[in-house]
Amino acid sequence: MTVWSRIVGTGSYLPARCVTNADLARTMETSDEWIQARTGIRQRHIAAEGQSSSDLALEASRAALASAGMQASDIDLIIVATSTPDFIFPSTACLLQSKLGAKGAPAFDVQAVCSGFVYGLTIADKFIRSGQYKSALVVGAEVFSRILDWNDRSTAVLFGDGAGAVVLKADSGPGIMASALHADGSQSGILSVPGSICGGKVIGSPFLQMDGQAVFKFAVRVLEEVGRETLAQCGLVAGDIDWLIPHQANVRILEATAKRFGLDRSKLVVTVDQHANTSAASVPLALDCAIRDGRVKPGHKIMLQGVGGGFTWGAVLVQM
Ligand code: UT7
């Protein structure tokens, strides 16, 4: 019998502090008009001092487990996608496992920046389809506010903190229908935090750097390509999708992607206006929002898409 993995629960968490564009305009040379016109972003949530990715992941995971009607001890595999881990090691996934009060199940982080959740979901799907595990918790959790240069208006206004989580379970029907992952390391320079720690010092820069226009063009092209690749795996066309949930980086990238698929904007889930770009957390956050507000319903086909530093990109086609 074919085994599929099905999303049986979702959850998300945003830190309490909400920072609007107008708030930012009081501390840097920017404006609500510029940020909204270029990105669609209106506000972002920023983690409190001492609040780490594993703390955000914990809240999102508890909500996902509750919606699945499961306990942490029921989970066979924990994957956390993050580029802002609590520590160099141990992994944020191991810290999350401990905070959840579970033991024994394998736990590891995936580092694929804004594609991290789609990478993690694909890995978990393979483990479940192979029969090795019956359930998995996949989380995207980020505190990008910690790696932003708050004096650099070209990047500081774009990102926010948050977490999203899904619980996957083995099932006799789909579930995850198709997935595709890619990377092009030759493009690593267009979006990076090119720093490291050596001998107790930061070598290079600990701040996010980006060639915004290069990222924009790359993202729009590969999101279409990888979306079509996953559709072809199932013999589907874009019109068969009920909801398109791309990585929430910029509303102009989202709208351009929907247009390339010939999809009406009403099929696009947009949360970037409320959350800004939360990197690996953005896709599960948007999914959870669209499930909780009743847009995504059982049986709907959704396309989840990631794209980001590395460069990395991928898509997962899911039947809810
Ligand atoms: O997860 C993936 C991560 N990143 C992305 O997806 C980002 C992709 N790229 C983008 O979203 C866009 O390229 C940006 C939103 C980053 C920038 O938009 P743009 O239309 O490409 O603007 P630009 O970089 O060409 O800048 C236009 C102007 C410049 O001024 P001049 O040189 O024309 O006088 C910038 O200095 O806007 C200026 N500018 C700002 N002005 C007010 C840049 N940042 C700001 C700002 N407020 N925050």
Side-chain angles (χ1 to χ4, degrees):
M1 190 185 72
T2 308
V3 179
W4 305 80
S5 43
R6 178 176 283 278
I7 294 177
V8 294
T10 63
S12 58
Y13 178 76
L14 292 160
R17 187 173 155 229
C18 180
V19 175
T20 65
N21 294 345
D23 293 333
L24 290 182
R26 280 192 277 277
T27 61
M28 68 179 81
E29 192 67 28
T30 190
S31 66
D32 180 42
E33 294 71 28
W34 190 95
I35 301 171
Q36 278 207 50
R38 302 285 177 137
T39 71
I41 296 166
R42 292 167 183 267
Q43 60 179 42
R44 71 287 292 140
H45 289 254
I46 302 291
E49 210 181 315
Q51 200 175 27
S52 64
S53 285
S54 69
D55 295 323
L56 309 191
L58 176 64
E59 299 301 332
S61 299
R62 282 183 175 151
L65 286 165
S67 80
M70 289 167 70
Q71 310 285 324
S73 54
D74 299 329
I75 296 295
D76 295 341
L77 168 69
I78 297 176
I79 299 177
V80 175
T82 186
S83 297
T84 46
D86 293 24
F87 303 124
I88 291 176
F89 70 80
S91 69
T92 304
C94 283
L95 299 173
L96 171 64
Q97 189 207 50
S98 168
K99 287 179 181 183
L100 282 168
K103 274 186 199 165
F108 59 88
D109 288 1
V110 166
Q111 159 60 294
V113 201
C114 306
S115 310
F117 179 77
V118 164
Y119 266 62
L121 196 61
T122 302
I123 296 164
D125 176 52
K126 302 301 178 200
F127 272 116
I128 289 176
R129 291 183 76 147
S130 75
Q132 187 161 357
Y133 300 123
K134 299 240 170 319
S135 62
L137 174 66
V138 185
V139 187
E142 302 278 18
V143 285
F144 258 51
S145 60
R146 307 268 158 78
I147 54 167
L148 297 174
D149 176 355
W150 288 97
N151 294 312
D152 175 9
R153 67 177 183 173
S154 69
T155 53
V157 303
L158 303 175
F159 296 89
D161 301 333
V166 305
V167 176
L168 287 181
K169 242 177 129 174
D171 207 320
S172 53
I176 293 182
M177 303 165 73
S179 60
L181 302 176
H182 294 282
D184 178 356
S186 75
Q187 299 299 313
S188 59
I190 62 174
L191 178 54
S192 64
V193 180
S196 60
I197 293 175
C198 181
K201 292 194 186 107
V202 176
I203 310 294
S205 169
F207 295 123
L208 183 145
Q209 300 176 2
M210 180 172 70
D211 176 344
Q213 289 184 5
V215 170
F216 195 107
K217 284 181 203 143
F218 200 99
V220 172
R221 178 172 63 78
V222 298
L223 287 174
E224 182 189 4
E225 283 173 10
V226 78
R228 294 203 184 280
E229 184 182 349
T230 51
L231 287 166
Q233 285 176 32
C234 317
L236 296 177
V237 294
D240 296 319
I241 304 170
D242 294 291
W243 296 103
L244 179 63
I245 310 186
H247 167 52
Q248 305 283 314
N250 182 324
V251 77
R252 288 157 55 214
I253 296 178
L254 302 183
E255 287 174 352
T257 304
K259 198 170 166 198
R260 282 173 171 235
F261 285 126
L263 287 175
D264 194 79
R265 193 187 185 292
S266 61
K267 292 204 167 188
L268 197 54
V269 174
V270 176
T271 53
V272 67
D273 56 330
Q274 300 297 313
H275 308 160
N277 181 345
T278 57
S279 187
S282 93
V283 171
L285 255 166
L287 173 63
D288 186 51
C289 288
I291 288 176
R292 285 177 194 265
D293 69 19
R295 274 179 289 173
V296 170
K297 295 191 169 51
H300 276 179
K301 291 188 183 66
I302 56 173
M303 166 104 65
L304 307 175
Q305 296 189 302
V307 59
F311 232 73
T312 56
W313 64 101
V316 179
L317 198 57
V318 190
Q319 184 167 313
M320 297 302 293

